[in-house]
Amino acid sequence: MPPQPYDPCPCGSGKKFKWCCASYFDTVEKAFEQERQGQHEAALQTMQALTKARPDNPSVWGYYAQFLYNAQQPDKAEEAVDEALRLNPDSGMAHFLRGQFRENEGELLGALLLFRKAAEAYDPESHEQLAQVYFKIYQYEATVLNRPVAARAALERVIHFQPTDAELRQQFEVEFGPEGPYPAAASKKYKFRPTAKPVPEAAATGKLSDARKAFEDLTKLTPDDPAAWFNLGLVLAWLGEQPRAVAVLVKSLEFETDDHRAEEAGALAEVLRCGAGMENDTDHISHTFVLRIRDAQAVMNLLRAYDQARKLRNMRADQESGMLFGLLVEELPSLLAVGAVTMAKIAARLVVSNGSIFLSHPNRESVAKAADEIYAALQLAVEQPVAGQNPLNFRDVVLEAMAQPTASGDLNAAEAKLRDHAANYFEGVWLHRPLKALSGNAPIEAVGSKVLRKHVFGVVKFLEDCLKLAAPSKQVGQEVVPIEMYNFANLRHKLNLEYVTADPPKVHVPEDKKDEPAPAPRAAAPAPAPEPKKRDIGAMNTPELAALDVATLSVGELEQAMLAAVKLKAHELAVAFAQAGLLKPFDAANPDRYRLYATAITGAAANGDTARAGELIDEGTKYDAEHNGGQRGTDYQLRKIALFVKVKDAEKAAAEYSALLAAHPDEGKFYASAAEDMLRLKNGEKALQFAEGGLEAARRTGNRDLEGHCSELVAAAQKAK
C-alpha cells in the first residue's frame, strides 16, 4: 500500500510523498508484487523500463537496487547503487542499501560505516528511515563493538524519531537504566559543558557531524578551553570514533582545573578504551584461549570431576542454545581463611559451545594456566589451546578483585573475606601496577604528576563503577541488596586524592574579526626558535596518532603515521592518513606514493565503494608515471585486477591479466594467479588459456615447480569448461 500523499516519502528525501516519488511509485510496487508472485522476467522488465524513463532520478536507482538484491542479483544491485550515488553522492537510501548488502555478507564494520553515512545523509524529516538506520547503529555498537556510549546515543535518536513506541523506551531502560549491564560511567547521560566561547546557533542542526565540526572549530579558536575539548570528545564518542575521542578527552585534562570534571572525563576515556579497536591502548582486555573438542565425553567427565573437587563453580546450562557456563576457581592460601570459610579466586570464565571450550580472564597468566591444565588433563580429547583477545565485559574489569567461598560457613565471615580479598587487590596489587591509561606509570607514581593525577581520578572512578556492577548480592529480609565489597575512599586516601573544586580556567577568547585599519609596520622578527625535537611517529600509540594534526605533516610523516596505524590495527585511522597524504603536493624526497594509494584503495573497497577504489588506482597509476618513473605500474595493475575479481568482472580481469603478461611473458606467478582467478570466477575457458600459457612459459624457462602447478590448473580448467 503506497504512503498517503502528505506522508514523508519512503526514499528518505524529506519531501512529502506527493511531491517526490508518488508519480512512479505504483510502478515500483507493481514490480515488487510481480517478483513476489514469481513473475521474475516481467518484474525485471517493469523496473528496467522505469530506469530508462527516469535515468537521472537517484531514488529510482535505489528502488531498482533493492529489487535486484531481493531477486538474488547482488552484483547488479551494487551497480544500481553506484548509479544512485553518482547522481546523488549524499543519497541516504543508497548508503543504507549498501550497508545492508555488507551486513548480509558479514562485513560488519563496513556495514556500520555505511549506516553512519546514511544517518548523516537522510533528511532530518525522514523519521522512519532515520529510526531504522539508528537502530542498526545501536545494535552494532552495543553487541558487536562494546561501545555503550555510542550505542546509547544511537538508541536515543531512535526514540526521538519514534517517541510513542513504548517497547523502545522499555528496551532503553533495560539497557541503560540502573539495573542494566553497564557501569554508570558507560550508561549515564552525558551533557555538553558550557564553553568560554559559545557555539554558533547555526551548528545545532541535529546532525552529529555538524556538532563535531563546530567543536573542532572551537578548539582551534580557544585551544586552552577544557570544556571545548570535552564536548568534542563526547561527540566523537557518540559517533563511535574511539581512538580520537580518547585523545581529545586526554587533551581536555591538560587544561582542567576541577577534579570532579577531570574524574568524569577520565572515566569516560576508560569506558571508550574498552571498545573494539582499542585493544592496544587499554588496561582492560579479555585474554582468551579456545580448545576445539575431539572427544565430548572426555570433556564432560573432566568438568564433572572439577565440579566434585569444587574447582568449577556456578555451572549452568542454557538448554535453548546448548551452551554450558561456569567459573574455574583456584583456592587461595589458608592464611585468608576464617574458621570453616575458605576462599578461592576466579581463575577463568568457562564456556562450552559449538564443539569448543572457551576460557577467558583479564589476567593472561591466570587463563593461560587454566588452559594448560585442561589441555594436559584431556590430552588428545581436545586440540592445542589457541590464544586470542577480545573486548572485556565491564563486569570482568574487576574480576581479579572478586573471590568465592569454597565451602559453606558463617556468612558474615565470608563477607569479611570477600572485602579482605578486594582490599588486598586494590591496595596491594593494583596500586603498583603500571597502566597504559597513566602513560605506563603505576597509580602510586602517577599521583605525583600534576597532569597524570587528574587521570587517576577517572581511572579509580571507572573501577568503582565496575565493582558496583559486578558485586554479589545477599538477602536481607524481603530485599536483595548488593554486598559492599570495597570502599574506594580508602584507595583515594592511600593515593592522597583529595578533590579540589574550582571554577573553569580563564580562557583566552579572541574577539570576532571586524573591519579594522591596516596594522602598523612591525619591527624586525626575532631570531627563529630552535627546531623542536623530531617526533618518533612510528612509536606512537593509537590515541597519539589520532591526535596528530595532518595539516602540519609531510608526505613522509603521513606515511609513517599510516604504517603505525596499520600495525596497531587502527584501519580507519590508517585510511585517513593515506587520504591526507594523497592531497599533499609533490615531494621530491618521497616520490613513491604507492603505499598511500594502496591503503586508500583498500579502505574504499572495504566500504563497498568500488567505483572510488577504481578511481584511486587510475590516479595512482598516473601519478606514478609522472613522478616516479612508472616504477609501480605493475603493482597498480595488480590492484586493478584484484578489484575486477572482487566485483566478479571476469572479462575486465582477464583483459588486464593479458596486458600484464604481454609486458612480463616469463613471469610464471602471473599466469598461475590469472588461471586461479578465472577458475574462481567460473570462467573455465579463460582459465585454460592462462594455465596453458603458464605451462608454455614454465617449459621455456625450465621452471619445474611452475610446470607442475600449471599442469594441475590445466586439468582443473578443462573440467570447469
Side-chain angles (χ1 to χ4, degrees):
M1 182 177 178
Q4 295 300 308
Y6 297 100
D7 286 347
C9 190
C11 73
S13 66
K15 300 177 183 177
K16 301 301 181 184
F17 178 62
K18 179 179 180 179
W19 292 294
C20 193
C21 297
S23 61
Y24 59 82
F25 197 76
D26 56 342
T27 305
V28 175
E29 287 199 314
K30 176 184 176 182
F32 277 77
E33 181 59 29
Q34 288 173 325
E35 180 66 22
R36 280 192 290 271
Q37 294 178 1
Q39 302 173 31
H40 307 302
E41 286 301 319
L44 181 60
Q45 290 174 9
T46 300
M47 287 303 299
Q48 288 177 337
L50 181 60
T51 60
K52 290 177 182 176
R54 300 174 181 269
D56 297 328
N57 189 318
S59 296
V60 166
W61 287 98
Y63 293 126
Y64 186 39
Q66 188 174 1
F67 169 83
L68 290 168
Y69 200 81
N70 293 347
Q72 307 298 315
Q73 298 186 50
D75 293 343
K76 291 184 178 180
E78 291 279 4
E79 293 173 3
V81 169
D82 285 341
E83 183 61 19
L85 289 171
R86 186 187 70 78
L87 294 168
N88 178 14
D90 293 324
S91 169
M93 182 186 193
H95 288 307
F96 184 64
L97 284 171
R98 179 156 277 162
Q100 290 182 306
F101 298 167
R102 298 290 83 77
E103 180 181 45
N104 293 335
E105 294 166 3
E107 294 184 22
L108 304 185
L109 289 179
L112 176 60
L113 290 172
L114 289 162
F115 290 145
R116 286 205 174 275
K117 283 185 178 181
E120 291 295 325
Y122 275 127
D123 188 274
E125 295 302 314
S126 302
H127 289 191
E128 184 177 343
Q129 289 79 12
L130 284 166
Q132 188 178 13
V133 72
Y134 272 114
F135 193 79
K136 287 280 189 185
I137 293 170
Y138 151 71
Q139 289 178 312
Y140 276 88
E141 297 288 11
T143 61
V144 178
L145 299 172
N146 201 39
R147 298 173 177 173
V149 179
R152 175 180 172 132
L155 193 54
E156 283 180 332
R157 297 301 291 164
V158 180
I159 293 172
H160 170 76
F161 293 120
Q162 295 184 337
T164 60
D165 192 324
E167 288 187 9
L168 273 177
R169 293 187 176 279
Q170 183 180 4
Q171 182 171 353
F172 183 88
E173 183 63 22
V174 168
E175 195 84 357
F176 300 104
E179 303 301 320
Y182 301 117
S187 63
K188 67 181 288 187
K189 182 175 180 62
Y190 286 95
K191 297 179 180 179
F192 288 138
R193 296 174 179 175
T195 52
K197 181 177 176 63
V199 174
E201 291 184 8
T205 64
K207 290 189 175 184
L208 290 176
S209 59
D210 291 335
R212 174 178 57 191
K213 176 68 166 58
F215 286 118
E216 284 174 341
D217 291 343
L218 197 58
T219 57
K220 293 174 183 176
L221 284 171
T222 56
D224 52 348
D225 185 1
W229 288 106
F230 176 84
N231 294 352
L232 175 57
L234 188 53
V235 172
L236 293 169
W238 289 339
L239 285 165
E241 297 183 24
Q242 312 290 93
R244 190 166 173 230
V246 170
V248 167
L249 289 168
V250 168
K251 186 75 173 178
S252 77
L253 291 174
E254 292 182 21
F255 305 105
E256 189 54 75
T257 54
D258 181 90
D259 289 339
H260 294 283
R261 291 192 295 267
E263 181 179 76
E264 182 183 47
L268 174 56
E270 283 294 273
V271 170
L272 301 182
R273 288 187 176 103
C274 290
M278 297 294 292
E279 290 83 358
N280 292 314
D281 298 286
T282 182
D283 297 298
H284 310 293
I285 197 163
S286 178
H287 296 281
T288 62
F289 284 87
V290 181
L291 299 87
R292 293 287 300 172
I293 298 172
R294 292 172 175 164
D295 184 345
Q297 188 58 51
V299 171
M300 294 309 299
N301 291 340
L302 178 66
L303 295 182
R304 277 193 286 269
Y306 275 8
D307 186 47
Q308 291 170 3
R310 301 193 64 78
K311 293 178 61 176
L312 181 60
R313 308 298 305 280
N314 298 355
M315 193 69 179
R316 62 184 179 87
D318 186 325
Q319 300 295 338
E320 191 172 323
S321 64
M323 300 171 68
L324 291 173
F325 303 87
L327 297 174
L328 290 175
V329 300
E330 180 181 329
E331 191 165 329
L332 291 165
S334 58
L335 288 175
L336 291 178
V338 174
V341 178
T342 55
M343 307 298 291
K345 69 176 183 178
I346 299 169
R349 289 196 181 277
L350 177 143
V351 178
V352 180
S353 174
N354 294 326
S356 295
I357 300 171
F358 298 86
L359 301 172
S360 64
H361 196 276
N363 185 307
R364 191 183 190 283
E365 184 179 344
S366 179
V367 68
K369 180 180 176 183
D372 289 342
E373 183 179 326
I374 290 177
Y375 182 63
L378 290 172
Q379 298 182 6
L380 296 178
V382 293
E383 295 179 7
Q384 192 168 352
V386 177
Q389 292 181 343
N390 289 313
L392 186 64
N393 183 301
F394 288 101
R395 292 179 184 274
D396 285 354
V397 166
V398 291
L399 196 60
E400 290 181 272
M402 310 293 285
Q404 291 226 333
T406 59
S408 59
D410 185 342
L411 292 179
N412 290 331
E415 280 188 39
K417 295 322 300 173
L418 288 175
R419 285 191 282 269
D420 286 346
H421 179 72
N424 181 65
Y425 170 72
F426 288 119
E427 298 173 16
V429 178
W430 180 85
L431 201 65
H432 304 282
R433 180 176 286 175
L435 300 177
K436 293 178 181 179
L438 303 177
S439 301
N441 295 281
I444 195 69
E445 301 164 343
V447 290
S449 162
K450 183 178 179 181
V451 174
L452 289 179
R453 174 184 172 278
K454 291 181 279 190
H455 291 244
V456 178
F457 274 106
V459 172
V460 171
K461 178 59 176 172
F462 176 66
L463 290 178
E464 185 175 22
D465 288 350
C466 288
L467 189 62
K468 286 179 182 177
L469 178 73
S473 300
K474 63 179 179 180
Q475 188 84 29
V476 177
Q478 298 298 315
E479 288 187 88
V480 176
V481 298
I483 296 173
E484 185 180 344
M485 294 278 295
Y486 181 68
N487 186 347
F488 279 85
N490 297 334
L491 183 59
R492 292 187 180 95
H493 180 70
K494 283 186 174 291
L495 289 167
N496 195 28
L497 287 178
E498 303 297 335
Y499 289 97
V500 174
T501 302
D503 292 330
K506 292 184 178 179
V507 176
H508 173 66
V509 180
E511 295 182 6
D512 293 332
K513 292 183 178 180
K514 299 177 181 178
D515 293 334
E516 297 176 355
R522 293 184 178 181
E531 290 189 9
K533 186 177 179 182
K534 192 169 181 65
R535 295 165 291 186
D536 186 2
I537 293 175
M540 289 182 177
N541 58 28
T542 306
E544 289 171 333
L545 289 170
L548 290 173
D549 183 358
V550 296
T552 65
L553 300 180
S554 66
V555 174
E557 288 173 325
L558 284 165
E559 185 168 324
Q560 290 177 42
M562 179 198 75
L563 294 173
V566 170
K567 186 177 179 181
L568 293 169
K569 298 183 179 179
H571 300 301
E572 295 175 31
L573 197 55
V575 172
F577 285 131
Q579 291 171 339
L582 298 183
L583 296 176
K584 295 286 183 178
F586 173 70
D587 181 356
N590 295 277
D592 185 359
R593 294 194 179 179
Y594 173 73
R595 288 194 289 193
L596 292 171
Y597 273 105
T599 300
I601 292 163
T602 300
N607 285 340
D609 195 349
T610 52
R612 178 55 183 157
E615 291 173 0
L616 285 166
I617 292 171
D618 292 339
E619 290 172 12
T621 304
K622 181 180 178 183
Y623 178 92
D624 192 67
E626 294 176 352
H627 300 293
N628 195 37
Q631 295 184 41
R632 292 285 196 168
T634 300
D635 295 316
Y636 284 109
Q637 201 164 7
L638 289 171
R639 283 274 171 179
K640 180 169 284 191
I641 290 169
L643 186 63
F644 287 142
V645 171
K646 179 180 174 64
V647 300
K648 300 179 181 178
D649 192 331
E651 291 300 322
K652 289 184 178 179
E656 288 294 332
Y657 266 126
S658 296
L660 181 66
L661 289 166
H664 306 277
D666 293 331
E667 191 61 65
K669 64 182 180 182
F670 292 158
Y671 290 99
S673 296
E676 290 166 353
D677 281 340
M678 291 302 109
L679 286 171
R680 195 174 297 117
L681 295 174
K682 297 181 172 55
N683 191 323
E685 183 178 346
K686 291 289 185 183
L688 184 59
Q689 291 178 14
F690 289 125
E692 288 177 339
L695 196 58
E696 181 183 336
R699 289 168 179 165
R700 184 171 64 248
T701 59
N703 189 332
R704 294 294 180 85
D705 291 337
L706 178 63
E707 184 177 355
H709 185 34
C710 287
S711 296
E712 294 174 1
L713 289 172
V714 166
Q718 288 172 336
K719 289 181 181 179
K721 283 188 65 179

